[in-house]
Amino acid sequence: MADRYLYVVRHGEAEPDGNGLTALGRRQAELLGERLRDVPLTAVHHGPLPRARQTAARAVAARTATVPVHESEAAGDYVPHLPERSELPPQSADLFLRFIAGTTEEERERGPGLARSALDLFTGPVAGDTDRHELLVTHNFLAAWLVRDAMCAPDWRWLGLNLCNAALTVIRYAPDRPAGVLTLNDMAHLPAELRWTGFPPELRAPGI
């Protein structure tokens, strides 16, 4: 078995209707591509929505070598787990339950299955003796779900994790040890004016 390095990215800033990217989001995706230019990617995965598809396309556009690009429902935008009140810390249960209260019956039925598929498809070490590097362009909920899983945190803990647009999270899956989060929400490739989009303003540390 060999290591898998999963480069998890939330799509660039989206238009108000949630579909395509804004001009700022397109630039974020291009800078992400420059950041990843020397990474020996073996595959790129993205969700089916335009904002994820466009981010993936711009992120790999400058590469000289062809990288297989795959669209996957499991990489899409969905609620991965809907906790019961008993799973949640008492002091934050009301907040989180209000947050997920608007989910539809279809979302409640569909999301957990897709979340399990995402773990099967995108996590864990790989067969063979060659390390694999994969880019996953997705949405905040799935990115948080994958970080939660890598940290062996309870299922509900995807709630409250926030990723900025085009920020980079890298998870290493090795055969002989637990998954390791090598970098989280890394925005070093983005200038100040392109950082923190998609992140709740009240959660941004002052002066950063």
Side-chain angles (χ1 to χ4, degrees):
M1 300 294 286
D3 292 358
R4 183 204 304 258
Y5 291 86
L6 186 66
Y7 300 76
V8 183
V9 174
R10 184 182 181 183
H11 58 81
E13 184 186 65
E15 294 284 1
D17 63 7
N19 286 318
L21 299 178
T22 64
L24 185 152
R26 292 192 291 273
R27 183 59 182 150
Q28 289 173 326
E30 291 163 359
L31 291 170
L32 171 68
E34 293 178 17
R35 172 79 180 272
L36 298 174
R37 185 192 298 271
D38 295 326
V39 174
L41 293 176
T42 53
V44 175
H45 309 276
H46 65 79
L49 295 179
R51 57 189 184 272
R53 185 185 305 117
Q54 292 173 17
T55 300
R58 286 183 174 270
V60 300
R63 302 181 76 90
T64 55
T66 301
V67 181
V69 179
H70 309 282
E71 184 173 301
S72 170
E73 287 285 341
D77 191 15
Y78 52 85
V79 175
H81 173 73
L82 292 112
E84 301 293 334
R85 178 177 289 274
S86 59
E87 296 176 62
L88 299 168
Q91 68 272 22
S92 53
D94 288 341
L95 172 69
F96 288 142
L97 291 173
R98 283 197 302 272
F99 179 75
I100 62 176
T103 55
T104 65
E105 187 63 30
E106 179 185 3
E107 288 174 319
R108 290 173 178 269
E109 292 178 357
R110 176 174 170 268
L114 288 172
R116 289 190 294 272
S117 295
L119 295 180
D120 290 340
L121 290 170
F122 307 129
T123 72
V126 296
D129 56 6
T130 303
D131 292 347
R132 183 184 302 172
H133 297 258
E134 298 176 278
L135 172 63
L136 173 63
V137 179
T138 183
H139 303 264
N140 190 64
F141 291 175
L142 179 57
W145 174 253
L146 293 172
V147 171
R148 173 219 63 81
D149 177 73
M151 299 297 292
C152 300
D155 286 353
W156 70 266
R157 198 59 187 90
W158 71 271
L159 288 160
L161 294 178
N162 293 276
L163 287 301
C164 299
N165 293 127
L168 183 63
T169 295
V170 183
I171 305 173
R172 179 194 182 203
Y173 301 94
D176 58 349
R177 68 195 68 188
V181 179
L182 304 184
T183 184
L184 176 66
N185 216 30
D186 182 351
M187 293 174 279
H189 51 288
L190 301 176
E193 65 272 17
L194 299 185
R195 297 180 181 180
W196 296 106
T197 64
F199 202 82
E202 70 274 12
L203 298 184
R204 177 178 172 178
I208 296 180

